[in-house]
Amino acid sequence: MRSALRLARWLTFSIAACFLPATLPGAQAPATPWQVGVASRDITPEGSLWMAGYASRTAPSDRVDQKIRAKALALDDTRGGRVVIVTLDLIGVPAALRAHVERESAQRFGLKPHELLLNASHTHSAPLITLDRFELEHTFKRAATPEQIAVATRYEAGLRQALVDLVGESLQARAPGRLEFAQARAGFAMNRRRPEAKGQFSNNPNPGGPVDHDVPVLKVTGADGKVRALLFGYACHNTTLGESHISGDYAGHAQDFLQASYPGATALFLTGCGGDQNPYPRRKMVPDQKPEDLVRQHGRALANAVSTALNAPLRPVQGPLRGAYGHAMLDYQPLSKTELEAYLRPPHTPAVNARARDLLQKQARGKRSAPLACPVQVLRFGSDLTLVAIAGEVVVDYSLRLKRELKGPADVWVAGYSNDVFGYLASRRVLDEGGYEGGGANIRILNHPGPFTTDVEEKVIGKVHELLGQVRK
Ligand SMILES: [Zn+2]
């Protein structure tokens, strides 16, 4: 009888085992397979600074509504795979800033390019950090004074150093932890390319246009079971506010709300492909609602989506972590002589006049503009999560397409505004449609020699696939 029972038990176990996967997620893996470190720095400027984002501003910042921060999350799979993800409450990541942090991080911490990801929230309520004279003069619509340039230069020098130190602090803070992924949704981002008469597109809410409302979340838990970090994303401009006050906009508020809800956790915002997405309503669209109320409302909505994701089934994220970093070389469509000559006169600023003269001279000598090297980065967390980070103000078509094309066992997370924010990265559709993100922004202020050629999307997507091929080997 006893042996029959033992046999029955053995049979039950054996039959059950046949239907179990070879490895149970989380069952055989160590409880804390990662080494994780977080660090945060206040990067709020002292005093008044010229601000980035809206060319309509005529005065520097006049107060601080919310402190802005740089944060770093170091993830180490303890088998040689690691990355430091740096998020910034800033308008963008100038290529020179990335180059500096990359160089210093290589020297001081041995980080390789694919082990560093810099992402900006694109808040339009932060200091101007591009020290390019042209950019300054265009933003100010007049020559910047030596004092203005000195203040901006000091801020950027301090920022460069702070970011390298921040990377080091996050690596230093590494301790055992585990990672989990989940996703929810938030609905306040809306497409902002509204079709108008004669096939043109204006910068206004377009409820029928494509959006990406996913809110991906990476939950980082320490060995004590406490949440150490929440990395979350959303594809939308941080343009709820329009005044001259320093603020992280909705992403800043979402981070603050989350840190209040999960004491001890650092919340980091990773901007998605929101190049053609705005938060609505925004600024002074609603007569009886103040922008400072709207920005908290959007921040709350996003923080609530993160909390909802944390209450959905969480997927354990295992290693190995493998990354690759490269550049898609993007060519420009040259502007005609007539088009360029139109920029030689007022109302265009002297900075734009000079740029047009330069391009005309190049054209006369038969010289083509050099292509733009657009950074593309991929991070593969075993077979659980693939994170793609693309430079520029990436329009939503890229994340929608990549999530479709890369669909498989791993979840897919696509970030824009990473490692260099050079301007808009249009898709083929947006380029064909034209308008602001389709090349109009490039041409209007001539910060690029023209719109990108029509193969731009294939080149960027092709680079993503190429890099993923490298990390799959
Ligand atoms: Zn933008």
Side-chain angles (χ1 to χ4, degrees):
M1 180 65 192
R2 214 175 265 170
S3 62
L5 194 65
R6 265 207 303 271
L7 179 69
R9 274 194 194 142
W10 181 85
L11 272 174
T12 312
F13 174 76
S14 303
I15 290 163
C18 290
F19 293 97
L20 288 173
T23 51
L24 273 172
Q28 291 173 359
T32 52
W34 295 85
Q35 286 278 317
V36 294
V38 280
S40 176
R41 286 245 176 162
D42 185 342
I43 54 166
T44 313
E46 280 173 22
S48 173
L49 246 89
W50 282 86
M51 299 175 73
Y54 300 119
S56 56
R57 284 197 181 102
T58 53
S61 62
D62 53 18
R63 70 170 200 237
V64 175
D65 271 2
Q66 185 185 42
K67 289 196 177 297
I68 54 171
R69 290 186 172 80
K71 297 172 182 172
L73 173 63
L75 303 172
D76 181 337
D77 71 2
T78 73
R79 285 175 278 174
R82 61 178 181 168
V83 67
V84 179
I85 297 172
V86 178
T87 62
L88 304 160
D89 294 331
L90 288 173
I91 190 82
V93 183
L97 184 67
R98 158 84 202 187
H100 175 87
V101 180
E102 183 183 300
R103 197 171 49 243
E104 293 279 313
S105 298
Q107 280 170 12
R108 284 175 54 183
F109 321 118
L111 277 193
K112 299 182 186 81
H114 70 264
E115 295 174 334
L116 178 69
L117 193 171
L118 301 183
N119 178 281
S121 75
H122 200 47
T123 172
H124 281 43
S125 298
L128 183 73
I129 48 166
T130 303
L131 290 174
D132 179 270
R133 187 101 187 186
F134 168 79
E135 191 80 27
L136 278 177
E137 292 183 355
H138 177 74
T139 302
F140 297 161
K141 291 209 164 76
R142 58 180 178 272
T145 66
E147 292 90 313
Q148 288 164 346
I149 291 177
V151 171
T153 306
R154 261 201 312 277
Y155 179 76
E156 188 161 274
L159 179 72
R160 285 177 182 214
Q161 200 45 50
L163 294 188
V164 178
D165 292 343
L166 184 76
V167 169
E169 283 165 30
S170 72
L171 288 165
Q172 196 72 39
R174 275 174 295 177
R178 64 190 154 89
L179 307 182
E180 290 160 294
F181 176 83
Q183 198 151 257
R185 302 194 127 209
F188 62 87
M190 196 183 286
N191 194 287
R192 67 176 201 186
R193 291 171 49 79
R194 189 165 79 189
E196 307 288 355
K198 296 182 196 158
Q200 288 168 336
F201 286 80
S202 69
N203 196 330
N204 280 301
N206 175 13
V211 292
D212 179 357
H213 282 165
D214 287 350
V215 180
V217 183
L218 188 68
K219 181 186 179 192
V220 181
T221 310
D224 57 2
K226 291 197 174 133
V227 183
R228 292 194 66 199
L230 292 168
L231 177 72
F232 64 104
Y234 197 51
C236 186
H237 264 63
N238 263 293
T239 46
T240 319
L241 301 171
E243 307 300 316
S244 290
H245 316 322
I246 299 290
S247 169
D249 209 273
Y250 74 79
H253 285 278
Q255 292 174 79
D256 285 354
F257 281 130
L258 287 165
Q259 291 182 172
S261 299
Y262 302 88
T266 301
L268 305 94
F269 176 74
L270 199 67
T271 312
C273 299
D276 50 352
Q277 311 290 311
N278 262 341
Y280 288 114
R282 62 190 284 262
R283 300 185 72 168
K284 291 176 179 160
M285 283 175 99
V286 188
D288 63 343
Q289 279 197 49
K290 295 179 189 149
E292 54 264 42
D293 294 333
L294 288 176
V295 79
R296 287 175 62 81
Q297 188 181 312
H298 295 328
R300 186 79 256 177
L302 185 53
N304 283 348
V306 173
S307 297
T308 304
L310 296 178
N311 282 282
L314 296 168
R315 174 180 193 161
V317 174
Q318 314 285 348
L321 172 60
R322 297 197 66 194
Y325 193 90
H327 295 88
M329 302 305 287
L330 309 181
D331 293 305
Y332 292 105
Q333 296 178 37
L335 295 178
S336 71
K337 192 163 178 265
T338 320
E339 282 172 308
L340 284 173
E341 279 170 352
Y343 290 94
L344 292 174
R345 296 175 288 277
H348 299 291
T349 61
V352 172
N353 303 154
R355 184 65 61 106
R357 253 193 313 277
D358 182 50
L359 289 170
L360 278 164
Q361 280 167 8
K362 265 189 185 160
Q363 207 172 67
R365 293 200 303 271
K367 280 185 79 177
R368 280 185 70 91
S369 295
L372 178 99
C374 168
V376 177
Q377 183 172 16
V378 300
L379 295 166
R380 191 158 181 263
F381 297 75
S383 54
D384 298 313
L385 178 65
T386 301
L387 174 57
V388 178
I390 304 171
E393 297 204 43
V394 189
V395 300
V396 76
D397 293 344
Y398 283 90
S399 66
L400 298 176
R401 177 172 170 182
L402 282 167
K403 284 182 205 183
R404 227 172 27 241
E405 284 185 8
L406 303 178
K407 197 173 168 60
D411 279 295
V412 180
W413 185 336
V414 188
Y417 296 83
S418 298
N419 302 312
D420 180 8
V421 182
F422 48 76
Y424 290 94
L425 184 66
S427 59
R428 175 67 199 256
R429 173 184 68 83
V430 169
L431 197 62
D432 287 348
E433 287 174 356
Y436 190 67
E437 300 86 356
N442 283 9
I443 302 162
R444 201 171 70 176
I445 59 169
L446 284 191
N447 61 339
H448 292 271
F452 292 121
T453 49
T454 52
D455 57 3
V456 57
E457 181 177 331
E458 293 314 314
K459 281 183 171 167
V460 172
I461 299 279
K463 183 54 75 174
V464 172
H465 285 288
E466 181 194 318
L467 296 175
L468 278 173
Q470 288 175 22
V471 297
R472 274 201 199 102
K473 275 178 198 161

